Amino acid sequence: MTFEKFMFYLFAGILILAALRVITARNPVHSALSLVLVFFSSAALWILLEAEFLAITLVLVYVGAVMVLFLFVVMMLNINVDSMREGFIKYLPIGVAVAVISAIEMGLVIVANFGPDKVPALVRHGVEYKNTESIGRVLYTDYLLSFEIAAVLLLVGIVAAIALSMRKRPNTKFQNPSEQVLVKKADRLRIVKMKTEDRQS
Amino acid sequence: MLELVIYIVIIFLKVFAIVIPLMLGVAYLTYAERKLIGYMQVRVGPNRVGPKGWLQPIADALKLLMKEIIIPSKANKFLFIIAPMLTIAPSLAAWAVVPFSDGLVLSNIDASLLYILAMTSLGVYGIIVAGWASNSKYAFLGAMRSAAQIVAYEIAMGFALVGVLMAASSLNLHEIVTQQAGGIWHWYWMPLFPLFLVYFISGVAETNRAPFDVAEGESEIVAGFHVEYSGMAFAVFFLAEYANIILIAVLTALMFMGGWLSPFEGIPVIGDTFLGESSIVWFLAKSAFFAFVFLWFRATFPRYRYDQIMRLGWKVFIPITIIWILVLAAVIAAKISYVTLGLSTIGIVVAYMLFSKITSRVEASS
């Protein structure tokens, strides 16, 4: 077994164990942290495939941003785990059906399209190969339209999320910093000339 | 097999060659902080342990090593113990791609800038997990504050880095530095002046340092996410925070101040002497300067209020960076040199400062 193969099985094993922990952990915070480990291990697998740009972006976007917000929500909600487990037996048949169907579908795709004789062998590049550059080149030439459409979709998503969650409460207090900066001494301070009081004897 | 073992041993030696000086740097940064802030406040600072107090950080480390690590009885033990590791691991891992001098780098990967951004964005996990696992209200509040702040400022930081990679047209830190060659006026702090400021200030906010240290907020929430930690577990958080400070200082030096390049490069007389040579000394001097600025900030500015921090991050820094990226794109498309852009930027800033000085003087006299 070569070193690379060893690394592959190591990370793949961690990935599968962590993925199992995501659905079996009792504590939702543990589940979320296991999902982080899943993303991390898959990033490591991508690095083994020389897709360093995608791997680092996976860590940056999913681990660095998305999962942080997930954890935030999970920690703040204080979910009652026992009440969520109540319907386990009731929903089990539907769950098993969905799992079996998706397993068959995935099996069909994998058996039909993957295998040593169906996929060309992985091209190993030299030290000079730049993964980032080649991805950029492909994205901005061959797939420009779909890339731009994806970008616009994301923008629409951001605008929609903000529009949905923005509500103006009538009694919120806020400051206007530009007004505060423009305040002069005369606006706030009045110097009054007074006669000195007589000493009370 | 033997080759592989030798290879791994050499990598480990290189890692030690980075981590040990870094840890020493962290130790003496804490000493420098106490001493400098002491002098800024007309005190002497620590001066008892060893000659002039030089052994103070060693004594502190020993003290923390000897102390008991107390795990709160209602804490989530596994996460409580793993949280300090989650904090220190990314802040050390980021150093793998930092070039210290021409060719002096552990791993010269192609997307090193992106790698550093990814690693620094992982530091927040340690903080959230520590705050949650402690099962303490103060720790949780501190963790929430600090996580929200880190997530907010990371965006501004990322956009500032987009400007840098556009200017250098590379994601590789070594390449970014070599693109700045040719003298101090070629360094990116001039053409990317707003991004330089945004990056450094966001870096201060990212590391939860004063004036953005509401996450610690001694007067409100005791010490934030690490209230429940003692002994070495606390020390690990401390190490990670200072390692991050040094990392931000180093990155600012690399991306905006020309890394190991000499500032006298290209100047007729001085540039030909030994001062004109680029070396690790310049890199260390620039990094030390930015680390000093971190300490200087702490002694100078009062703490920001929380809503002001959020406003600065979202409503000031992010728009500034987006506008400057557009300006930079226009400059690149029009094939104007960065030196021209830099000189005009600095010119505008100086003119604005003079203008506001004059107008305030006119108003004061009227």
Coordinates of all heavy atoms in Angstrom, one line a residue, chain B residues 165-205:
Chain B
L165 N -4.8 40.1 -4.3 CA -4.6 39.1 -5.3 C -4.9 39.6 -6.7 O -4.3 39.2 -7.7 CB -5.4 37.8 -5.0 CG -6.9 37.8 -5.1 CD1 -7.2 37.3 -6.5 CD2 -7.4 36.8 -4.1
M166 N -5.8 40.7 -6.8 CA -6.0 41.3 -8.1 C -4.7 42.0 -8.5 O -4.3 42.0 -9.7 CB -7.2 42.3 -8.0 CG -8.5 41.6 -8.2 SD -9.8 42.8 -7.8 CE -9.7 43.8 -9.3
A167 N -4.2 42.8 -7.5 CA -3.0 43.6 -7.9 C -1.8 42.7 -8.3 O -1.1 43.0 -9.2 CB -2.6 44.5 -6.7
A168 N -1.6 41.6 -7.5 CA -0.5 40.7 -7.8 C -0.8 39.7 -8.9 O 0.1 39.0 -9.3 CB -0.1 40.0 -6.5
S169 N -2.1 39.5 -9.2 CA -2.6 38.5 -10.1 C -2.0 37.1 -9.7 O -1.6 36.3 -10.6 CB -2.4 38.8 -11.6 OG -1.0 38.8 -11.9
S170 N -2.0 36.9 -8.4 CA -1.5 35.6 -7.9 C -2.1 35.3 -6.5 O -2.3 36.3 -5.8 CB 0.0 35.5 -7.9 OG 0.4 34.3 -7.3
L171 N -2.3 34.1 -6.2 CA -2.7 33.7 -4.8 C -1.5 33.3 -4.0 O -1.7 32.9 -2.8 CB -3.7 32.6 -4.9 CG -5.2 32.9 -5.1 CD1 -6.0 31.7 -5.4 CD2 -5.8 33.6 -3.9
N172 N -0.3 33.3 -4.6 CA 0.8 32.7 -3.9 C 1.5 33.9 -3.1 O 1.9 34.9 -3.7 CB 1.7 32.1 -4.9 CG 2.9 31.5 -4.3 OD1 3.7 32.1 -3.6 ND2 3.1 30.2 -4.4
L173 N 1.8 33.7 -1.8 CA 2.4 34.8 -1.1 C 3.8 35.2 -1.6 O 4.1 36.3 -1.6 CB 2.5 34.4 0.4 CG 1.2 34.5 1.2 CD1 1.3 33.8 2.5 CD2 0.8 36.0 1.4
H174 N 4.6 34.2 -2.0 CA 5.9 34.4 -2.5 C 5.8 35.3 -3.7 O 6.5 36.3 -3.9 CB 6.6 33.1 -2.8 CG 8.0 33.3 -3.2 ND1 8.4 33.5 -4.5 CD2 9.1 33.3 -2.5 CE1 9.7 33.6 -4.6 NE2 10.2 33.5 -3.4
E175 N 4.9 35.0 -4.6 CA 4.6 35.7 -5.9 C 4.2 37.1 -5.5 O 4.6 38.1 -6.1 CB 3.6 35.0 -6.7 CG 3.3 35.6 -8.0 CD 4.5 35.4 -9.0 OE1 5.2 34.4 -8.8 OE2 4.6 36.2 -9.9
I176 N 3.3 37.3 -4.5 CA 2.8 38.6 -4.1 C 3.9 39.5 -3.7 O 4.0 40.7 -4.1 CB 1.7 38.4 -3.0 CG1 0.4 37.8 -3.6 CG2 1.4 39.8 -2.3 CD1 -0.6 37.4 -2.5
V177 N 4.9 38.9 -2.9 CA 6.0 39.8 -2.5 C 6.9 40.1 -3.7 O 7.3 41.3 -3.8 CB 6.8 39.0 -1.4 CG1 8.0 39.8 -1.1 CG2 5.9 38.9 -0.2
T178 N 7.2 39.2 -4.6 CA 8.1 39.5 -5.7 C 7.5 40.5 -6.6 O 8.2 41.2 -7.3 CB 8.5 38.2 -6.4 OG1 7.4 37.4 -6.6 CG2 9.5 37.4 -5.7
Q179 N 6.1 40.5 -6.7 CA 5.5 41.5 -7.5 C 5.7 42.9 -7.0 O 5.5 43.9 -7.8 CB 4.0 41.2 -7.6 CG 3.6 40.0 -8.4 CD 3.6 40.2 -9.9 OE1 3.4 41.4 -10.3 NE2 3.9 39.3 -10.7
Q180 N 6.0 43.0 -5.7 CA 6.1 44.4 -5.1 C 7.6 44.9 -5.3 O 7.9 45.9 -4.7 CB 5.7 44.3 -3.7 CG 4.3 43.9 -3.5 CD 3.9 43.9 -2.0 OE1 4.1 44.8 -1.3 NE2 3.4 42.7 -1.5
A181 N 8.4 44.1 -5.9 CA 9.8 44.5 -6.0 C 10.0 45.9 -6.7 O 9.2 46.2 -7.6 CB 10.6 43.5 -6.7
G182 N 11.0 46.6 -6.3 CA 11.4 47.8 -7.1 C 11.3 49.1 -6.2 O 11.2 50.2 -6.7
G183 N 11.3 48.9 -4.9 CA 11.4 50.1 -4.0 C 10.1 50.4 -3.3 O 9.0 49.8 -3.6
I184 N 10.2 51.2 -2.3 CA 9.0 51.4 -1.4 C 7.8 51.9 -2.1 O 6.7 51.6 -1.7 CB 9.5 52.4 -0.3 CG1 8.5 52.3 0.9 CG2 9.7 53.8 -0.7 CD1 9.0 53.0 2.2
W185 N 7.9 52.6 -3.2 CA 6.7 53.1 -3.9 C 6.0 52.0 -4.7 O 5.0 52.3 -5.3 CB 7.1 54.3 -4.7 CG 8.2 54.1 -5.7 CD1 8.1 53.6 -6.9 CD2 9.6 54.2 -5.4 NE1 9.4 53.4 -7.5 CE2 10.3 53.8 -6.5 CE3 10.3 54.7 -4.3 CZ2 11.7 53.9 -6.6 CZ3 11.7 54.7 -4.4 CH2 12.4 54.3 -5.5
H186 N 6.7 50.9 -4.8 CA 6.0 49.7 -5.5 C 5.2 48.9 -4.5 O 4.5 48.0 -5.0 CB 7.0 48.9 -6.3 CG 7.5 49.5 -7.5 ND1 6.8 49.5 -8.7 CD2 8.6 50.3 -7.7 CE1 7.5 50.2 -9.6 NE2 8.6 50.6 -9.0
W187 N 5.5 49.0 -3.2 CA 4.8 48.2 -2.3 C 3.3 48.5 -2.3 O 2.9 49.6 -2.6 CB 5.3 48.4 -0.9 CG 6.7 48.0 -0.7 CD1 7.5 47.5 -1.6 CD2 7.5 48.2 0.4 NE1 8.8 47.3 -1.1 CE2 8.8 47.7 0.1 CE3 7.3 48.8 1.7 CZ2 9.9 47.8 1.0 CZ3 8.3 48.8 2.6 CH2 9.6 48.3 2.3
Y188 N 2.5 47.5 -2.0 CA 1.0 47.6 -2.2 C 0.3 48.6 -1.2 O -0.8 48.8 -1.3 CB 0.4 46.3 -2.2 CG 0.6 45.5 -3.4 CD1 0.5 44.1 -3.4 CD2 1.0 46.1 -4.6 CE1 0.8 43.4 -4.5 CE2 1.2 45.4 -5.7 CZ 1.1 44.0 -5.7 OH 1.4 43.3 -6.8
W189 N 1.0 49.0 -0.1 CA 0.3 49.9 0.8 C -0.1 51.2 0.1 O -1.1 51.8 0.5 CB 1.2 50.2 2.1 CG 2.4 51.1 1.8 CD1 3.6 50.7 1.3 CD2 2.4 52.4 2.0 NE1 4.4 51.7 1.2 CE2 3.7 52.8 1.6 CE3 1.6 53.4 2.5 CZ2 4.1 54.2 1.7 CZ3 2.0 54.7 2.6 CH2 3.3 55.1 2.2
M190 N 0.6 51.6 -0.9 CA 0.3 52.8 -1.6 C -0.9 52.7 -2.5 O -1.9 53.3 -2.3 CB 1.5 53.5 -2.3 CG 2.0 54.6 -1.4 SD 3.5 55.4 -1.9 CE 3.5 55.4 -3.6
P191 N -0.8 51.8 -3.5 CA -2.0 51.7 -4.4 C -3.2 51.1 -3.7 O -4.4 51.4 -4.0 CB -1.6 50.8 -5.5 CG -0.4 50.1 -5.0 CD 0.3 51.0 -4.1
L192 N -3.0 50.3 -2.6 CA -4.1 49.7 -1.9 C -4.3 50.3 -0.6 O -4.6 49.6 0.4 CB -3.9 48.1 -1.8 CG -3.6 47.4 -3.1 CD1 -3.4 45.9 -2.7 CD2 -4.8 47.5 -4.0
F193 N -4.0 51.6 -0.4 CA -4.0 52.2 0.9 C -5.3 51.9 1.7 O -5.2 51.5 2.9 CB -3.8 53.7 0.7 CG -3.5 54.4 2.0 CD1 -2.3 54.1 2.7 CD2 -4.4 55.3 2.5 CE1 -2.1 54.7 3.9 CE2 -4.2 55.9 3.8 CZ -3.0 55.6 4.5
P194 N -6.5 52.1 1.1 CA -7.7 51.9 1.9 C -7.8 50.4 2.4 O -8.2 50.1 3.5 CB -8.9 52.2 1.0 CG -8.3 53.0 -0.1 CD -6.9 52.6 -0.2
L195 N -7.4 49.5 1.4 CA -7.4 48.1 1.8 C -6.4 47.7 2.9 O -6.7 46.9 3.7 CB -7.2 47.2 0.6 CG -8.1 47.4 -0.6 CD1 -7.8 46.4 -1.7 CD2 -9.5 47.1 -0.1
F196 N -5.3 48.4 2.8 CA -4.2 48.2 3.8 C -4.8 48.6 5.2 O -4.7 47.8 6.2 CB -3.0 49.1 3.5 CG -2.0 49.3 4.5 CD1 -1.4 48.2 5.1 CD2 -1.6 50.5 4.9 CE1 -0.4 48.4 6.1 CE2 -0.7 50.7 5.9 CZ -0.1 49.6 6.5
L197 N -5.4 49.7 5.3 CA -6.0 50.1 6.6 C -7.1 49.2 7.0 O -7.1 48.7 8.2 CB -6.6 51.6 6.5 CG -5.6 52.7 6.3 CD1 -6.3 54.0 6.3 CD2 -4.6 52.7 7.4
V198 N -8.0 48.8 6.1 CA -9.1 47.9 6.4 C -8.6 46.6 6.9 O -9.0 46.0 7.9 CB -10.0 47.7 5.2 CG1 -11.0 46.6 5.4 CG2 -10.8 49.0 5.0
Y199 N -7.5 46.1 6.2 CA -7.0 44.8 6.5 C -6.4 44.8 7.9 O -6.7 43.9 8.7 CB -5.9 44.3 5.5 CG -5.4 43.0 5.9 CD1 -6.1 41.8 5.6 CD2 -4.2 42.8 6.6 CE1 -5.6 40.6 5.9 CE2 -3.8 41.6 7.0 CZ -4.5 40.5 6.6 OH -4.0 39.2 7.0
F200 N -5.6 45.8 8.2 CA -4.9 45.8 9.5 C -6.0 46.0 10.6 O -5.9 45.3 11.6 CB -3.9 46.9 9.6 CG -3.0 46.8 10.8 CD1 -2.2 45.7 10.9 CD2 -3.1 47.7 11.8 CE1 -1.4 45.5 12.0 CE2 -2.3 47.5 12.9 CZ -1.4 46.4 13.0
I201 N -6.9 46.9 10.5 CA -7.9 47.1 11.5 C -8.8 45.9 11.7 O -9.1 45.4 12.8 CB -8.7 48.4 11.3 CG1 -7.8 49.6 11.2 CG2 -9.8 48.6 12.3 CD1 -8.4 50.8 10.8
S202 N -9.2 45.2 10.6 CA -9.9 44.0 10.7 C -9.1 42.9 11.4 O -9.7 42.1 12.1 CB -10.3 43.5 9.3 OG -11.0 44.4 8.6
G203 N -7.8 42.9 11.1 CA -6.9 42.0 11.8 C -7.0 42.2 13.3 O -7.0 41.2 14.1
V204 N -7.0 43.4 13.7 CA -7.0 43.7 15.2 C -8.4 43.2 15.7 O -8.4 42.6 16.8 CB -6.9 45.2 15.4 CG1 -7.1 45.5 16.9 CG2 -5.6 45.7 14.9
A205 N -9.5 43.4 14.9 CA -10.8 42.9 15.4 C -10.8 41.4 15.4 O -11.4 40.8 16.3 CB -11.9 43.5 14.5

